[in-house]
mmCIF file of all heavy atoms in Angstrom:
data_model
loop_
_atom_site.group_PDB
_atom_site.id
_atom_site.type_symbol
_atom_site.label_atom_id
_atom_site.label_comp_id
_atom_site.label_asym_id
_atom_site.label_seq_id
_atom_site.Cartn_x
_atom_site.Cartn_y
_atom_site.Cartn_z
ATOM 1 N N ASP A 8 18.935 140.558 92.956
ATOM 2 C CA ASP A 8 19.292 139.699 94.079
ATOM 3 C C ASP A 8 18.820 140.258 95.404
ATOM 4 O O ASP A 8 18.857 139.593 96.420
ATOM 5 C CB ASP A 8 20.803 139.436 94.101
ATOM 6 C CG ASP A 8 21.624 140.691 94.294
ATOM 7 O OD1 ASP A 8 21.125 141.791 94.027
ATOM 8 O OD2 ASP A 8 22.787 140.562 94.714
ATOM 9 N N ARG A 9 18.344 141.494 95.416
ATOM 10 C CA ARG A 9 17.843 142.106 96.642
ATOM 11 C C ARG A 9 16.321 142.057 96.724
ATOM 12 O O ARG A 9 15.730 142.642 97.614
ATOM 13 C CB ARG A 9 18.323 143.553 96.719
ATOM 14 C CG ARG A 9 19.844 143.644 96.805
ATOM 15 C CD ARG A 9 20.320 145.050 96.853
ATOM 16 N NE ARG A 9 19.897 145.641 98.120
ATOM 17 C CZ ARG A 9 20.018 146.927 98.408
ATOM 18 N NH1 ARG A 9 20.527 147.743 97.526
ATOM 19 N NH2 ARG A 9 19.621 147.382 99.559
ATOM 20 N N MET A 10 15.707 141.356 95.796
ATOM 21 C CA MET A 10 14.258 141.238 95.807
ATOM 22 C C MET A 10 13.831 140.358 96.982
ATOM 23 O O MET A 10 14.563 139.456 97.383
ATOM 24 C CB MET A 10 13.760 140.655 94.484
ATOM 25 C CG MET A 10 14.102 141.505 93.273
ATOM 26 S SD MET A 10 13.463 143.182 93.362
ATOM 27 C CE MET A 10 11.747 142.874 93.046
ATOM 28 N N PRO A 11 12.632 140.612 97.522
ATOM 29 C CA PRO A 11 12.194 139.858 98.706
ATOM 30 C C PRO A 11 11.636 138.472 98.367
ATOM 31 O O PRO A 11 10.457 138.313 98.056
ATOM 32 C CB PRO A 11 11.111 140.762 99.304
ATOM 33 C CG PRO A 11 10.557 141.496 98.120
ATOM 34 C CD PRO A 11 11.715 141.690 97.182
ATOM 35 N N TYR A 12 12.497 137.466 98.425
ATOM 36 C CA TYR A 12 12.087 136.087 98.194
ATOM 37 C C TYR A 12 11.918 135.376 99.530
ATOM 38 O O TYR A 12 12.759 135.510 100.425
ATOM 39 C CB TYR A 12 13.116 135.341 97.340
ATOM 40 C CG TYR A 12 12.969 135.633 95.873
ATOM 41 C CD1 TYR A 12 13.693 136.656 95.271
ATOM 42 C CD2 TYR A 12 12.093 134.900 95.086
ATOM 43 C CE1 TYR A 12 13.550 136.935 93.927
ATOM 44 C CE2 TYR A 12 11.943 135.169 93.735
ATOM 45 C CZ TYR A 12 12.682 136.191 93.167
ATOM 46 O OH TYR A 12 12.528 136.463 91.830
ATOM 47 N N LEU A 13 10.835 134.620 99.646
ATOM 48 C CA LEU A 13 10.502 133.909 100.876
ATOM 49 C C LEU A 13 10.559 132.405 100.638
ATOM 50 O O LEU A 13 9.861 131.893 99.752
ATOM 51 C CB LEU A 13 9.088 134.304 101.323
ATOM 52 C CG LEU A 13 8.530 133.572 102.536
ATOM 53 C CD1 LEU A 13 9.261 134.041 103.797
ATOM 54 C CD2 LEU A 13 7.035 133.839 102.664
ATOM 55 N N PRO A 14 11.370 131.670 101.415
ATOM 56 C CA PRO A 14 11.363 130.214 101.290
ATOM 57 C C PRO A 14 10.057 129.655 101.862
ATOM 58 O O PRO A 14 9.568 130.121 102.888
ATOM 59 C CB PRO A 14 12.564 129.757 102.114
ATOM 60 C CG PRO A 14 13.082 130.936 102.827
ATOM 61 C CD PRO A 14 12.346 132.147 102.372
ATOM 62 N N LEU A 15 9.488 128.666 101.176
ATOM 63 C CA LEU A 15 8.273 128.017 101.643
ATOM 64 C C LEU A 15 8.180 126.626 101.036
ATOM 65 O O LEU A 15 8.882 126.319 100.079
ATOM 66 C CB LEU A 15 7.029 128.840 101.320
ATOM 67 C CG LEU A 15 6.579 128.960 99.871
ATOM 68 C CD1 LEU A 15 5.115 129.345 99.829
ATOM 69 C CD2 LEU A 15 7.373 130.007 99.126
ATOM 70 N N THR A 16 7.317 125.817 101.618
ATOM 71 C CA THR A 16 7.078 124.473 101.102
ATOM 72 C C THR A 16 5.635 124.389 100.651
ATOM 73 O O THR A 16 4.718 124.736 101.404
ATOM 74 C CB THR A 16 7.369 123.411 102.181
ATOM 75 O OG1 THR A 16 8.730 123.539 102.588
ATOM 76 C CG2 THR A 16 7.129 122.014 101.652
ATOM 77 N N LEU A 17 5.432 123.944 99.427
ATOM 78 C CA LEU A 17 4.097 123.739 98.879
ATOM 79 C C LEU A 17 3.795 122.250 98.885
ATOM 80 O O LEU A 17 4.674 121.435 98.607
ATOM 81 C CB LEU A 17 4.021 124.268 97.443
ATOM 82 C CG LEU A 17 4.338 125.743 97.244
ATOM 83 C CD1 LEU A 17 4.272 126.104 95.767
ATOM 84 C CD2 LEU A 17 3.394 126.616 98.057
ATOM 85 N N SER A 18 2.550 121.892 99.202
ATOM 86 C CA SER A 18 2.154 120.492 99.245
ATOM 87 C C SER A 18 0.790 120.321 98.597
ATOM 88 O O SER A 18 -0.082 121.183 98.723
ATOM 89 C CB SER A 18 2.072 119.987 100.690
ATOM 90 O OG SER A 18 3.310 120.134 101.336
ATOM 91 N N LEU A 19 0.638 119.177 97.929
ATOM 92 C CA LEU A 19 -0.636 118.849 97.296
ATOM 93 C C LEU A 19 -0.704 117.337 97.119
ATOM 94 O O LEU A 19 0.189 116.749 96.486
ATOM 95 C CB LEU A 19 -0.756 119.556 95.943
ATOM 96 C CG LEU A 19 -2.059 119.345 95.199
ATOM 97 C CD1 LEU A 19 -3.210 120.037 95.928
ATOM 98 C CD2 LEU A 19 -1.957 119.895 93.784
ATOM 99 N N ASP A 20 -1.713 116.722 97.698
ATOM 100 C CA ASP A 20 -1.959 115.287 97.527
ATOM 101 C C ASP A 20 -0.713 114.438 97.754
ATOM 102 O O ASP A 20 -0.372 113.568 96.947
ATOM 103 C CB ASP A 20 -2.535 115.003 96.134
ATOM 104 C CG ASP A 20 -3.879 115.679 95.920
ATOM 105 O OD1 ASP A 20 -4.611 115.871 96.907
ATOM 106 O OD2 ASP A 20 -4.188 116.003 94.757
ATOM 107 N N GLY A 21 0.003 114.711 98.839
ATOM 108 C CA GLY A 21 1.176 113.914 99.189
ATOM 109 C C GLY A 21 2.475 114.334 98.535
ATOM 110 O O GLY A 21 3.537 113.846 98.900
ATOM 111 N N GLN A 22 2.423 115.226 97.570
ATOM 112 C CA GLN A 22 3.639 115.755 96.929
ATOM 113 C C GLN A 22 4.055 117.028 97.655
ATOM 114 O O GLN A 22 3.205 117.868 97.963
ATOM 115 C CB GLN A 22 3.381 116.101 95.468
ATOM 116 C CG GLN A 22 3.015 114.952 94.596
ATOM 117 C CD GLN A 22 4.223 114.109 94.231
ATOM 118 O OE1 GLN A 22 5.365 114.479 94.435
ATOM 119 N NE2 GLN A 22 3.971 112.937 93.694
ATOM 120 N N SER A 23 5.331 117.197 97.946
ATOM 121 C CA SER A 23 5.843 118.420 98.567
ATOM 122 C C SER A 23 6.983 118.982 97.743
ATOM 123 O O SER A 23 7.725 118.234 97.098
ATOM 124 C CB SER A 23 6.360 118.152 99.981
ATOM 125 O OG SER A 23 5.298 118.046 100.878
ATOM 126 N N LEU A 24 7.108 120.293 97.794
ATOM 127 C CA LEU A 24 8.119 120.977 97.004
ATOM 128 C C LEU A 24 8.627 122.180 97.778
ATOM 129 O O LEU A 24 7.843 123.056 98.153
ATOM 130 C CB LEU A 24 7.483 121.426 95.686
ATOM 131 C CG LEU A 24 8.306 122.271 94.733
ATOM 132 C CD1 LEU A 24 9.469 121.459 94.183
ATOM 133 C CD2 LEU A 24 7.425 122.755 93.602
ATOM 134 N N SER A 25 9.928 122.214 98.053
ATOM 135 C CA SER A 25 10.537 123.383 98.688
ATOM 136 C C SER A 25 10.915 124.365 97.599
ATOM 137 O O SER A 25 11.549 123.985 96.605
ATOM 138 C CB SER A 25 11.778 122.984 99.485
ATOM 139 O OG SER A 25 11.402 122.181 100.573
ATOM 140 N N THR A 26 10.532 125.629 97.779
ATOM 141 C CA THR A 26 10.760 126.637 96.749
ATOM 142 C C THR A 26 10.876 128.009 97.394
ATOM 143 O O THR A 26 10.952 128.125 98.620
ATOM 144 C CB THR A 26 9.625 126.589 95.692
ATOM 145 O OG1 THR A 26 9.957 127.435 94.603
ATOM 146 C CG2 THR A 26 8.284 126.955 96.296
ATOM 147 N N GLU A 27 10.899 129.043 96.574
ATOM 148 C CA GLU A 27 10.904 130.431 97.035
ATOM 149 C C GLU A 27 9.833 131.187 96.284
ATOM 150 O O GLU A 27 9.591 130.933 95.102
ATOM 151 C CB GLU A 27 12.242 131.107 96.735
ATOM 152 C CG GLU A 27 13.412 130.592 97.498
ATOM 153 C CD GLU A 27 14.671 131.388 97.174
ATOM 154 O OE1 GLU A 27 14.833 131.839 96.018
ATOM 155 O OE2 GLU A 27 15.483 131.575 98.086
ATOM 156 N N GLY A 28 9.200 132.134 96.973
ATOM 157 C CA GLY A 28 8.209 132.977 96.333
ATOM 158 C C GLY A 28 8.598 134.433 96.459
ATOM 159 O O GLY A 28 9.107 134.862 97.497
ATOM 160 N N LEU A 29 8.358 135.180 95.408
ATOM 161 C CA LEU A 29 8.615 136.615 95.401
ATOM 162 C C LEU A 29 7.453 137.318 96.098
ATOM 163 O O LEU A 29 6.304 137.191 95.676
ATOM 164 C CB LEU A 29 8.753 137.121 93.966
ATOM 165 C CG LEU A 29 8.889 138.634 93.787
ATOM 166 C CD1 LEU A 29 10.173 139.151 94.423
ATOM 167 C CD2 LEU A 29 8.829 138.990 92.310
ATOM 168 N N LEU A 30 7.733 138.048 97.162
ATOM 169 C CA LEU A 30 6.711 138.836 97.847
ATOM 170 C C LEU A 30 6.433 140.064 97.003
ATOM 171 O O LEU A 30 7.295 140.924 96.843
ATOM 172 C CB LEU A 30 7.194 139.245 99.241
ATOM 173 C CG LEU A 30 7.429 138.105 100.224
ATOM 174 C CD1 LEU A 30 8.136 138.614 101.468
ATOM 175 C CD2 LEU A 30 6.116 137.443 100.581
ATOM 176 N N ASP A 31 5.226 140.148 96.448
ATOM 177 C CA ASP A 31 4.896 141.213 95.503
ATOM 178 C C ASP A 31 3.592 141.895 95.921
ATOM 179 O O ASP A 31 2.504 141.427 95.586
ATOM 180 C CB ASP A 31 4.785 140.637 94.097
ATOM 181 C CG ASP A 31 4.618 141.703 93.030
ATOM 182 O OD1 ASP A 31 4.368 142.886 93.373
ATOM 183 O OD2 ASP A 31 4.720 141.357 91.838
ATOM 184 N N THR A 32 3.710 143.008 96.626
ATOM 185 C CA THR A 32 2.515 143.723 97.094
ATOM 186 C C THR A 32 1.726 144.324 95.941
ATOM 187 O O THR A 32 0.567 144.659 96.109
ATOM 188 C CB THR A 32 2.883 144.841 98.083
ATOM 189 O OG1 THR A 32 3.758 145.772 97.436
ATOM 190 C CG2 THR A 32 3.555 144.282 99.322
ATOM 191 N N GLY A 33 2.324 144.432 94.769
ATOM 192 C CA GLY A 33 1.627 144.968 93.607
ATOM 193 C C GLY A 33 0.880 143.917 92.804
ATOM 194 O O GLY A 33 0.110 144.247 91.911
ATOM 195 N N ALA A 34 1.080 142.650 93.144
ATOM 196 C CA ALA A 34 0.388 141.565 92.435
ATOM 197 C C ALA A 34 -0.980 141.338 93.071
ATOM 198 O O ALA A 34 -1.093 141.199 94.285
ATOM 199 C CB ALA A 34 1.214 140.290 92.490
ATOM 200 N N SER A 35 -2.004 141.282 92.249
ATOM 201 C CA SER A 35 -3.358 141.051 92.758
ATOM 202 C C SER A 35 -3.538 139.634 93.279
ATOM 203 O O SER A 35 -4.265 139.413 94.241
ATOM 204 C CB SER A 35 -4.392 141.299 91.657
ATOM 205 O OG SER A 35 -4.331 142.627 91.221
ATOM 206 N N VAL A 36 -2.882 138.671 92.635
ATOM 207 C CA VAL A 36 -3.056 137.258 92.986
ATOM 208 C C VAL A 36 -1.711 136.564 93.105
ATOM 209 O O VAL A 36 -0.695 137.043 92.613
ATOM 210 C CB VAL A 36 -3.917 136.522 91.934
ATOM 211 C CG1 VAL A 36 -5.309 137.106 91.863
ATOM 212 C CG2 VAL A 36 -3.251 136.535 90.570
ATOM 213 N N ASN A 37 -1.738 135.408 93.750
ATOM 214 C CA ASN A 37 -0.571 134.521 93.765
ATOM 215 C C ASN A 37 -0.462 133.869 92.393
ATOM 216 O O ASN A 37 -1.479 133.534 91.778
ATOM 217 C CB ASN A 37 -0.754 133.413 94.804
ATOM 218 C CG ASN A 37 -0.927 133.933 96.212
ATOM 219 O OD1 ASN A 37 -0.341 134.922 96.604
ATOM 220 N ND2 ASN A 37 -1.752 133.240 96.985
ATOM 221 N N VAL A 38 0.763 133.670 91.926
ATOM 222 C CA VAL A 38 0.981 133.050 90.615
ATOM 223 C C VAL A 38 1.919 131.862 90.782
ATOM 224 O O VAL A 38 2.999 131.976 91.361
ATOM 225 C CB VAL A 38 1.571 134.066 89.609
ATOM 226 C CG1 VAL A 38 1.868 133.390 88.279
ATOM 227 C CG2 VAL A 38 0.638 135.256 89.420
ATOM 228 N N LEU A 39 1.472 130.719 90.253
ATOM 229 C CA LEU A 39 2.248 129.492 90.293
ATOM 230 C C LEU A 39 2.754 129.187 88.888
ATOM 231 O O LEU A 39 1.954 129.009 87.967
ATOM 232 C CB LEU A 39 1.364 128.338 90.791
ATOM 233 C CG LEU A 39 2.019 126.976 90.958
ATOM 234 C CD1 LEU A 39 3.036 127.006 92.103
ATOM 235 C CD2 LEU A 39 0.955 125.914 91.229
ATOM 236 N N PRO A 40 4.082 129.150 88.684
ATOM 237 C CA PRO A 40 4.613 128.804 87.364
ATOM 238 C C PRO A 40 4.214 127.391 86.949
ATOM 239 O O PRO A 40 4.032 126.507 87.791
ATOM 240 C CB PRO A 40 6.129 128.902 87.537
ATOM 241 C CG PRO A 40 6.337 129.693 88.779
ATOM 242 C CD PRO A 40 5.145 129.445 89.641
ATOM 243 N N TYR A 41 4.115 127.175 85.668
ATOM 244 C CA TYR A 41 3.659 125.905 85.123
ATOM 245 C C TYR A 41 4.461 124.714 85.656
ATOM 246 O O TYR A 41 3.887 123.718 86.105
ATOM 247 C CB TYR A 41 3.706 125.941 83.587
ATOM 248 C CG TYR A 41 3.100 124.713 82.975
ATOM 249 C CD1 TYR A 41 1.716 124.556 82.923
ATOM 250 C CD2 TYR A 41 3.893 123.697 82.463
ATOM 251 C CE1 TYR A 41 1.140 123.421 82.380
ATOM 252 C CE2 TYR A 41 3.331 122.558 81.917
ATOM 253 C CZ TYR A 41 1.959 122.419 81.878
ATOM 254 O OH TYR A 41 1.388 121.291 81.344
ATOM 255 N N GLU A 42 5.794 124.806 85.635
ATOM 256 C CA GLU A 42 6.638 123.688 86.051
ATOM 257 C C GLU A 42 6.395 123.298 87.497
ATOM 258 O O GLU A 42 6.391 122.112 87.836
ATOM 259 C CB GLU A 42 8.137 124.011 85.876
ATOM 260 C CG GLU A 42 8.567 124.258 84.468
ATOM 261 C CD GLU A 42 8.334 125.705 84.052
ATOM 262 O OE1 GLU A 42 8.096 126.560 84.920
ATOM 263 O OE2 GLU A 42 8.361 125.965 82.853
ATOM 264 N N LEU A 43 6.228 124.276 88.375
ATOM 265 C CA LEU A 43 6.003 123.952 89.780
ATOM 266 C C LEU A 43 4.670 123.230 89.958
ATOM 267 O O LEU A 43 4.557 122.312 90.771
ATOM 268 C CB LEU A 43 6.052 125.217 90.646
ATOM 269 C CG LEU A 43 7.414 125.906 90.752
ATOM 270 C CD1 LEU A 43 7.329 127.097 91.698
ATOM 271 C CD2 LEU A 43 8.492 124.936 91.205
ATOM 272 N N GLY A 44 3.673 123.644 89.211
ATOM 273 C CA GLY A 44 2.385 122.962 89.271
ATOM 274 C C GLY A 44 2.485 121.511 88.853
ATOM 275 O O GLY A 44 1.926 120.615 89.508
ATOM 276 N N THR A 45 3.211 121.262 87.775
ATOM 277 C CA THR A 45 3.349 119.874 87.319
ATOM 278 C C THR A 45 4.166 119.060 88.318
ATOM 279 O O THR A 45 3.885 117.889 88.533
ATOM 280 C CB THR A 45 3.965 119.780 85.911
ATOM 281 O OG1 THR A 45 5.245 120.416 85.905
ATOM 282 C CG2 THR A 45 3.047 120.425 84.878
ATOM 283 N N GLN A 46 5.169 119.669 88.954
ATOM 284 C CA GLN A 46 5.950 118.967 89.975
ATOM 285 C C GLN A 46 5.094 118.591 91.180
ATOM 286 O O GLN A 46 5.369 117.600 91.860
ATOM 287 C CB GLN A 46 7.136 119.814 90.425
ATOM 288 C CG GLN A 46 8.229 119.926 89.389
ATOM 289 C CD GLN A 46 9.342 120.861 89.817
ATOM 290 O OE1 GLN A 46 9.645 120.972 91.000
ATOM 291 N NE2 GLN A 46 9.947 121.538 88.861
ATOM 292 N N LEU A 47 4.050 119.365 91.439
ATOM 293 C CA LEU A 47 3.125 119.056 92.529
ATOM 294 C C LEU A 47 2.060 118.037 92.116
ATOM 295 O O LEU A 47 1.233 117.638 92.933
ATOM 296 C CB LEU A 47 2.444 120.337 93.023
ATOM 297 C CG LEU A 47 3.311 121.267 93.860
ATOM 298 C CD1 LEU A 47 2.622 122.606 94.052
ATOM 299 C CD2 LEU A 47 3.628 120.618 95.209
ATOM 300 N N GLY A 48 2.079 117.642 90.858
ATOM 301 C CA GLY A 48 1.136 116.645 90.380
ATOM 302 C C GLY A 48 -0.113 117.212 89.728
ATOM 303 O O GLY A 48 -1.038 116.462 89.393
ATOM 304 N N LEU A 49 -0.166 118.520 89.537
ATOM 305 C CA LEU A 49 -1.314 119.112 88.862
ATOM 306 C C LEU A 49 -1.322 118.720 87.383
ATOM 307 O O LEU A 49 -0.261 118.604 86.765
ATOM 308 C CB LEU A 49 -1.280 120.636 88.980
ATOM 309 C CG LEU A 49 -1.553 121.201 90.375
ATOM 310 C CD1 LEU A 49 -1.214 122.693 90.424
ATOM 311 C CD2 LEU A 49 -3.004 120.970 90.771
ATOM 312 N N ILE A 50 -2.513 118.523 86.857
ATOM 313 C CA ILE A 50 -2.683 118.201 85.440
ATOM 314 C C ILE A 50 -3.523 119.309 84.823
ATOM 315 O O ILE A 50 -4.659 119.546 85.259
ATOM 316 C CB ILE A 50 -3.358 116.827 85.256
ATOM 317 C CG1 ILE A 50 -2.465 115.742 85.894
ATOM 318 C CG2 ILE A 50 -3.625 116.536 83.785
ATOM 319 C CD1 ILE A 50 -3.127 114.394 86.006
ATOM 320 N N TRP A 51 -2.945 120.008 83.862
ATOM 321 C CA TRP A 51 -3.571 121.200 83.276
ATOM 322 C C TRP A 51 -5.018 120.937 82.846
ATOM 323 O O TRP A 51 -5.922 121.709 83.147
ATOM 324 C CB TRP A 51 -2.739 121.692 82.091
ATOM 325 C CG TRP A 51 -3.244 122.985 81.538
ATOM 326 C CD1 TRP A 51 -4.044 123.150 80.452
ATOM 327 C CD2 TRP A 51 -3.010 124.288 82.064
ATOM 328 N NE1 TRP A 51 -4.313 124.483 80.262
ATOM 329 C CE2 TRP A 51 -3.683 125.198 81.238
ATOM 330 C CE3 TRP A 51 -2.284 124.770 83.147
ATOM 331 C CZ2 TRP A 51 -3.656 126.569 81.467
ATOM 332 C CZ3 TRP A 51 -2.256 126.134 83.380
ATOM 333 C CH2 TRP A 51 -2.944 127.019 82.541
ATOM 334 N N GLU A 52 -5.241 119.840 82.161
ATOM 335 C CA GLU A 52 -6.569 119.534 81.623
ATOM 336 C C GLU A 52 -7.614 119.275 82.711
ATOM 337 O O GLU A 52 -8.810 119.413 82.470
ATOM 338 C CB GLU A 52 -6.495 118.314 80.686
ATOM 339 C CG GLU A 52 -5.693 118.549 79.422
ATOM 340 C CD GLU A 52 -4.174 118.566 79.652
ATOM 341 O OE1 GLU A 52 -3.696 118.038 80.679
ATOM 342 O OE2 GLU A 52 -3.474 119.138 78.794
ATOM 343 N N ASN A 53 -7.174 118.917 83.909
ATOM 344 C CA ASN A 53 -8.104 118.650 85.011
ATOM 345 C C ASN A 53 -8.544 119.914 85.742
ATOM 346 O O ASN A 53 -9.515 119.875 86.496
ATOM 347 C CB ASN A 53 -7.482 117.691 86.024
ATOM 348 C CG ASN A 53 -7.281 116.310 85.465
ATOM 349 O OD1 ASN A 53 -7.721 116.005 84.358
ATOM 350 N ND2 ASN A 53 -6.610 115.465 86.212
ATOM 351 N N GLU A 54 -7.807 120.999 85.566
ATOM 352 C CA GLU A 54 -8.131 122.264 86.248
ATOM 353 C C GLU A 54 -8.932 123.120 85.274
ATOM 354 O O GLU A 54 -8.408 123.585 84.266
ATOM 355 C CB GLU A 54 -6.852 122.976 86.696
ATOM 356 C CG GLU A 54 -5.942 122.132 87.575
ATOM 357 C CD GLU A 54 -6.614 121.582 88.819
ATOM 358 O OE1 GLU A 54 -7.519 122.246 89.362
ATOM 359 O OE2 GLU A 54 -6.244 120.482 89.255
#
């Protein structure tokens, strides 16, 4: 519960989603969980 989570809003093609992201200086890249991507309207087969 003491981990550094940052509130932010993600948007894509008119869809918006309020969420939190874990600030991870050890992570090489940003990672988007599958469910959040689908909520933003992403389609796995199109990417």
Side-chain angles (χ1 to χ4, degrees):
D8 63 339
R9 297 179 67 189
M10 299 302 286
Y12 279 93
L13 175 71
L15 70 159
T16 301
L17 301 178
S18 301
L19 182 69
D20 298 331
Q22 297 283 348
S23 282
L24 175 67
S25 294
T26 188
E27 292 183 326
L29 174 64
L30 295 170
D31 187 349
T32 60
S35 299
V36 298
N37 300 325
V38 177
L39 183 68
Y41 186 76
E42 297 85 14
L43 293 183
T45 58
Q46 288 175 32
L47 286 169
L49 290 169
I50 299 169
W51 186 261
E52 294 75 20
N53 293 353
E54 305 304 328

